[in-house]
Amino acid sequence: AVPLAVMAGLLRFEGLRRWPFTAAAGAYFGWGWLWGYVYLLSWVLTTSLVPGDPAPLPYLVLLNPLELVQAAVLLLGAWQVKRHPELGQTMQGGAATLGLIAFVWLNSVAARAVHFYGGIDYPVEQLLTSDAFLTTATILWTSLALVLMGYATRRAVRGYWLAGASLLGAVLVKLFFVDMPNLDLVGRIISFTSVGVLMLIIGYFAPIPPRQTEETGPKEKLEPAR
């Protein structure tokens, strides 16, 4: 939380024309800030492998100290990406990287929920192969695909729709090659039923948006023949 507060606090001085920020702007707001944020992302990934017991506080999904700080780190990065659209391809790559890390984090949140509510103990290798987590992950991935594809359809952003479709394809691969051999009958029924219902919702409410075309010039009005 302390490095996060420092990184977020620095951004409040980005427009301040005063020493020492004017003398070393890159160290405070450029490459220096970026390396500090890379450290925060590394911390998010590392702590995604631990249970993060909030005792003596009760565990509540997304409302415990560890996950609140992790979410704040990801939101800070998303805010930076949104603030600098002029950087184009660089920010697009940053957004994709941030999205992958957010995906890993959401799976770690699901793993902790299974640990605390389902009684499946760590280490993480044991937890990730449990029936409860495999079923939860299948529903989580399909729900994320629904959100991405629904957002893409509403905003006519084809890239997000393709990302959601790719995630949906990963869900189908997981169903047949991971869930089928490892889940019991009840787990398979829950997984396949949930995915089937969500896919029907996706097909109805989130069709693929049309490909955007660029106009080469203004349209000419046709004059009626005399």
Side-chain angles (χ1 to χ4, degrees), residues 18-198:
R18 184 181 300 176
W19 185 89
F21 306 113
T22 54
Y28 286 103
F29 312 116
W31 58 267
W33 195 94
L34 179 61
W35 279 112
Y37 189 69
V38 168
Y39 161 75
L40 289 176
L41 289 180
S42 302
W43 173 82
V44 170
L45 291 174
T46 302
T47 53
S48 293
L49 302 176
V50 300
D53 191 350
L57 299 174
Y59 174 81
L60 298 173
V61 179
L62 295 177
L63 295 178
N64 58 85
L66 178 60
E67 288 170 2
L68 284 173
V69 178
Q70 289 176 326
V73 170
L74 296 172
L75 289 173
L76 178 63
W79 185 53
Q80 274 290 76
V81 169
K82 187 176 181 179
R83 289 176 69 233
H84 296 284
E86 70 278 0
L87 296 182
Q89 294 295 330
T90 301
M91 283 303 170
Q92 289 181 14
T97 303
L98 198 63
L100 288 174
I101 295 175
F103 177 72
V104 173
W105 171 71
L106 284 172
N107 281 274
S108 75
V109 172
R112 290 191 192 99
V114 169
H115 166 65
F116 285 103
Y117 296 139
I120 310 298
D121 293 329
Y122 277 73
V124 69
E125 294 84 2
Q126 174 181 318
L127 179 63
L128 296 183
T129 55
S130 65
D131 288 1
F133 177 78
L134 289 176
T135 304
T136 302
T138 298
I139 298 172
L140 173 65
W141 293 11
T142 312
S143 301
L144 286 175
L146 172 61
V147 171
L148 281 173
M149 297 168 80
Y151 175 83
T153 300
R154 183 175 297 272
R155 298 283 182 168
V157 184
R158 197 178 179 90
Y160 284 119
W161 195 95
L162 294 175
S166 300
L167 183 57
L168 197 59
V171 170
L172 295 177
V173 172
K174 178 178 178 296
L175 276 176
F176 287 101
F177 292 98
V178 178
D179 292 359
M180 282 286 289
N182 296 294
L183 290 180
D184 57 17
L185 178 60
V186 175
R188 288 199 295 267
I189 291 174
I190 294 174
S191 294
F192 276 84
T193 303
S194 302
V195 171
V197 170
L198 290 171

